[in-house]
Amino acid sequence: MGIPTYKQEPFEWYREMRKSSPVYREGNMIHIFKYKTISRILSDHQNFSSQFRDLLGEEMAAMLNEKTTPSILLLDPPLHTTLRSLVGSAFTPRSIELFEPRIRELARMLVHAIVEKENSDVVSDLSYQLPIRVISEMLGVPESDSEIFRDWSDKLATSLGRGPDIETQYDMADYFYKKIDRNSNGNNLISRLSTVEMDGRKLSDKEIAGFAILLLVAGNETTTNLITNAILSLYDHPEIYDDMRKTPSIIPGVVEETLRYRSPVQSTRRYSKIDTEIGGEEILKNDILALYLGSANRDEEVFEDGESFNPYRKEKRHMAFGQGIHFCLGAPLARLEARIALEEFSKAVPGFEIEKPSPDDRIDSDIMYGFRKLNLKVNR
Ligand code: HEM
């Protein structure tokens, strides 16, 4: 069975590969499908690196390094450790919680517009709007810049997994440089990043710009897909939607199960710094490891009846946000936005019909799982 294109559902392929070739070599790319193996690799950052710039040609790396440092997602310790604690201190779960009322206000407004219309598109009307508006406000991007900002964000999302889009990164870096104010006591994220200090170390301009860009790349399309995927899964399970309307306290469970069952990020990568062996397959230094989180999340050794959507399941250790030192920094924000979107949606929408998305509606990405549109009709 060949590697599916983005238009195909990957889940059957995963199941087959977990059984027949859980560690599968294709040139210098090793595809890995089992939960335990992926977990072991993600926990061993010493031998399995995220620092892909080290593998790029010198010219490409120099061009990128001119304006931004690699994002923390693509760094190994010790720099990863330092930068993660610095940005982490500006992006705390507490600072995210403070945003809850504003997120609710936005979600309510977007859901209200859906209820008013006869037909809507969940993606463009709700799940796309919420994360980009939230992160723009968090970063202090004024409404007047929001169009250009969205355009950059879309371009970056499409470039994921296909090599860096240098022009967009440059434009964005220039934009954020102008926003840096070292004497600011403002409360937006760029102001906080401009002033955080740890053991006498501050973030450089390049690091601030790099981090702002990462938030857009890592946070928008992923959360959009989480919200869309949840609504699609609930449509397939009207009994769960009814439960959710009666008992909103099950909503966090619905969010977790969507993360597991239709993981917005289906895979991530590392490269091996050593010659070694994984699952009986010889691995050479610099081999690239493609780790299928979306497959780990359905691994029958960990999840009983993993191929069905069940928010009541006991085993919740999914890997949708990764594992180890790169565990998603935005997980509290993504969970909060999805929970609030579903709370507001289920309060306002008694029932709904969905036009099943076709394969052409899938996001054109080898990494992300989601849909470009999802047509919805509210039952009145
Ligand atoms: C890292 C998934 C939302 C910021 C990661 C990783 C995954 C992930 C799998 C680890 C990648 C790896 O180890 O190679 C998701 C999913 C999201 C989501 C599924 C939504 C449903 C967000 C949001 C933000 C964010 C909203 C911020 C606004 C980050 C950052 C990292 C990261 C900064 C890098 C952390 C590090 O390298 O130390 N995310 N993410 N993510 N995510 Fe998320």
Side-chain angles (χ1 to χ4, degrees), residues 16 206 245 274 292:
E16 185 58 40
K206 271 193 204 177
R245 280 175 48 81
I274 48 162
Y292 292 90

Side-chain angles (χ1 to χ4, degrees), residues 72-73 80 84 214 218-219 222 268 270 320-322 325-326 328 330 334:
I72 53 171
L73 192 56
H80 174 269
R84 174 137 179 160
L214 174 62
T222 46
T268 187
R270 297 292 185 265
F321 289 122
I325 61 167
H326 291 279
C328 178

